[in-house]
Amino acid sequence: MQLSVIILNYNVRYFLEQCVLSVQEAITAIDAEIIVVDNNSSDESVLMMKEKFPEVKLIENKENFGFPKGNNIGFRQAKGKYICILNPDTVVGEDTFLKILAFAEKQNNLGIIGCKLIDGTGAFLPESKRGIPTPWVAFTKIFSLYKIFPGTKLFNQYYAQHLNENETGKVDILVGAFMFLEKKLYEELKGFDENCFMYADDIDLSYRALLLEKTNFYFHETAVLHYKGESTVKDEKYMKRFQESMNFFYQKHFRKSWFFSIFIKIGAFLFSIAKMFQGKQKENPLPESYFLCSENENFTEKLASILQNKVGFLDFKEEKMVNSCLILKGKRAEIILDNHYVSFKKCIEIIETLKDKKVTFKIFPKKTGFIIGSNSRNDRGQIIKIE
């Protein structure tokens, strides 16, 4: 078997359904398997998997074991030469694994491969490629020095800015939402460290691959949609978790850093002050208009009834469809992509191409009864049931 895709789920039932659908489309030409590990969800994720994907290997944990242990449990069932650790709140293109497999087969001394990740608004996620978070590098992230001095190497190492987002190359650290590696390397690394705190497990695994003198890569030739969720909200809780994860990483691989301990406390204090003045995050205003990208114009009537708003139609059969969509840029609009006619790969391309602060996107995944998407990387997304 060429590939095992391991998806660890916890209470994201609808995102999981869309993710598995996209993975199934992406492995049709590959000898591959999907392994879903559920960390004791309470939202009918398991029931959905049994009813809709009986052919997928499902592991039901009786408690929430966390990210490292949950993925390690899934790995023990894997049969593929390669494995892909994949978040359930992702959407892959139909050719994602074909492209990465082809790239992997050409490499010598391969470590871990990550790919280009974009959020639900089409914005590039900089954590797709990162440098080793030494105390100084972590300091430049906390105080956003990489934004102030993007062209200065001294300050731009956290997000590996020696590579731009559309350039494949060697990087040190990859993100746990999408990690592709050989099964034998995962075995040699003994998987994720189950003692890790949140935010450190992927850093630790990537770094241990480097210690084995393996080469990690960022691969830009395929984009994967990654809905971020609440875990990315930069508040005091985030700062506490970030501090814990970095302390774990330093204690395991480096001597204890008093430099980092002092400055992360200063950073946490500044974050607290900023949040106090910032107040409650403003909700995104509702779209002024909706547009369905499909071949089924009749579906606009049903959508209009559900959304209680007029829904325009963009005929996917027309080659100039994307150019038509460009007219919407700058207007507060929502584009609904009908996956019955628009491939997952094309959905991702449209979202990335048309990214605009005022344009939001939803996908109507094939064989489902809901529309799904996210208007901000700081929320858990929106689900609209249509049946």
Side-chain angles (χ1 to χ4, degrees):
M1 184 175 288
Q2 286 180 287
L3 175 66
S4 297
V5 182
I6 301 170
I7 305 169
L8 177 66
N9 176 71
Y10 180 67
N11 284 336
V12 286
R13 174 247 184 273
Y14 293 99
F15 287 100
L16 174 65
E17 183 174 350
Q18 179 177 231
C19 177
V20 174
L21 283 168
S22 74
V23 173
Q24 284 186 327
E25 294 290 314
I27 62 173
T28 54
I30 303 170
D31 182 13
E33 63 179 350
I34 304 170
I35 301 170
V36 172
V37 183
D38 186 79
N39 258 346
N40 198 30
S41 296
S42 58
D43 67 349
E44 299 186 346
S45 291
V46 169
L47 179 62
M48 179 276 296
M49 287 299 304
K50 289 179 177 178
E51 289 182 349
K52 300 203 168 191
F53 305 103
E55 71 283 5
V56 171
K57 187 175 293 184
L58 175 65
I59 300 172
E60 300 176 57
N61 290 337
K62 299 307 178 185
E63 61 182 281
N64 184 356
F65 290 124
F67 184 87
K69 186 173 182 179
N71 277 300
N72 289 346
I73 289 171
F75 171 76
R76 288 195 284 271
Q77 300 289 322
K79 299 177 181 177
K81 175 184 176 183
Y82 293 94
I83 65 164
C84 181
I85 303 296
L86 185 68
N87 266 29
D89 58 343
T90 59
V91 180
V92 300
E94 285 77 1
D95 61 355
T96 290
F97 296 123
L98 287 169
K99 285 185 173 181
I100 291 186
L101 275 167
F103 178 78
E105 289 290 297
K106 295 177 183 177
Q107 307 309 315
N108 295 316
N109 210 32
L110 179 65
I112 304 171
I113 303 173
C115 70
K116 183 179 185 180
L117 299 175
I118 63 170
D119 67 16
T121 72
F124 174 68
L125 293 172
E127 61 267 29
S128 301
K129 52 181 181 66
R130 292 175 287 176
I132 300 170
T134 62
W136 168 252
V137 171
F139 171 72
T140 63
K141 174 189 164 37
I142 292 169
F143 290 96
S144 298
L145 297 180
Y146 66 95
K147 293 181 180 178
I148 301 170
F149 307 103
T152 306
K153 184 178 180 181
L154 182 64
F155 300 110
N156 65 16
Q157 297 173 59
Y158 188 85
Y159 287 126
Q161 286 166 282
H162 68 284
L163 288 177
N164 68 49
E165 63 185 82
N166 295 315
E167 183 180 5
T168 294
K170 298 177 183 179
V171 295
D172 293 325
I173 307 297
L174 299 159
V175 65
F178 187 104
M179 302 183 90
F180 187 99
L181 65 160
E182 286 191 85
K183 181 182 179 183
K184 65 181 181 181
L185 175 58
Y186 195 97
E187 289 173 336
E188 191 173 356
L189 294 169
K190 298 181 180 178
F192 288 102
D193 188 331
E194 296 178 14
N195 296 310
C196 272
F197 293 96
M198 185 180 289
Y199 301 118
D201 33 49
D202 49 5
I203 297 172
D204 174 70
L205 191 74
S206 300
Y207 185 69
R208 286 189 284 123
L210 297 178
L211 293 179
L212 292 178
E213 299 184 346
K214 302 293 184 179
T215 304
N216 296 336
F217 288 96
Y218 166 73
F219 182 74
H220 84 281
E221 293 179 32
T222 185
V224 169
L225 194 59
H226 180 209
Y227 302 105
K228 291 283 291 179
E230 291 178 342
S231 63
T232 60
V233 177
K234 303 302 188 294
D235 56 12
E236 295 88 342
K237 188 175 182 180
Y238 169 88
M239 284 301 300
K240 183 176 184 296
R241 287 173 172 170
F242 185 79
Q243 180 179 4
E244 289 173 343
S245 67
M246 290 300 97
N247 282 337
F248 176 91
F249 182 71
Y250 297 142
Q251 288 174 14
K252 179 174 180 178
H253 297 291
F254 304 102
R255 60 188 177 87
K256 189 173 182 180
S257 170
W258 294 107
F259 173 87
F260 178 77
S261 298
I262 292 170
F263 281 104
I264 200 166
K265 284 183 170 63
I266 296 172
F269 174 74
L270 293 177
F271 265 87
S272 301
I273 297 296
K275 290 295 289 184
M276 187 166 51
F277 286 101
Q278 179 182 343
K280 188 176 181 180
Q281 186 177 351
K282 294 180 181 180
E283 293 185 5
N284 292 321
L286 291 174
E288 296 171 345
S289 53
Y290 293 85
F291 295 87
L292 173 67
C293 177
S294 177
E295 291 183 17
N296 182 9
E297 190 169 2
N298 293 332
F299 187 55
T300 57
E301 296 179 10
K302 183 174 182 178
L303 271 180
S305 175
I306 294 168
L307 299 171
Q308 296 184 342
N309 204 314
K310 185 178 179 180
V311 178
F313 183 69
L314 299 169
D315 191 345
F316 177 63
K317 290 185 293 185
E318 297 291 334
E319 288 297 321
K320 297 180 181 180
M321 184 273 301
V322 171
N323 291 331
S324 299
C325 291
L326 288 171
I327 300 171
L328 306 176
K329 289 177 76 71
K331 300 179 181 178
R332 204 161 66 239
E334 179 154 289
I335 300 174
I336 299 165
L337 302 162
D338 186 353
N339 178 233
H340 296 81
Y341 304 98
V342 187
S343 70
F344 283 115
K345 178 183 178 181
K346 194 66 179 178
C347 287
I348 296 168
E349 287 178 354
I350 291 172
I351 292 171
E352 186 178 12
T353 302
L354 300 181
K355 57 179 177 288
D356 185 282
K357 290 181 179 179
K358 293 186 178 181
V359 179
T360 57
F361 304 91
K362 299 290 182 295
I363 296 176
F364 175 25
K366 63 177 65 176
K367 305 175 186 176
T368 71
F370 59 86
I371 296 168
I372 192 166
S374 176
N375 300 341
S376 167
R377 67 180 64 180
N378 289 334
D379 65 42
R380 299 198 71 174
Q382 299 80 39
I383 295 144
I384 302 170
K385 295 183 181 180
I386 58 175
E387 289 184 353

